[in-house]
Amino acid sequence: MRNTEADTLDELIDDCTAMPAELRGRADTPPEPRPATPWQVTDDCVAQVAGLDTYV
């Protein structure tokens, strides 16, 4: 009987790199990043920290 499991990390790496491409999954390219929306402080945000100096 032959041992088909890797005994060392090097053997495991060799086994993994020898796998056919169809078994490794696809290497899709990530989508293009969306343009950033400008950040603005709203009145709601200001209201959340109103009185913060009292607690600090």
Side-chain angles (χ1 to χ4, degrees):
M1 184 165 141
R2 182 172 179 224
N3 182 9
T4 58
E5 294 183 15
D7 292 322
T8 67
L9 185 57
D10 289 333
E11 288 178 6
L12 180 61
I13 291 170
D14 288 341
D15 288 347
C16 291
T17 56
M19 289 174 47
E22 60 269 5
L23 297 178
R24 283 186 261 151
R26 296 183 345 184
D28 292 336
T29 56
E32 290 293 321
R34 294 179 288 163
T37 56
W39 185 79
Q40 297 176 350
V41 177
T42 63
D43 291 335
D44 293 334
C45 292
V46 173
Q48 289 179 357
V49 293
L52 178 66
D53 292 334
T54 306
Y55 295 107
V56 177

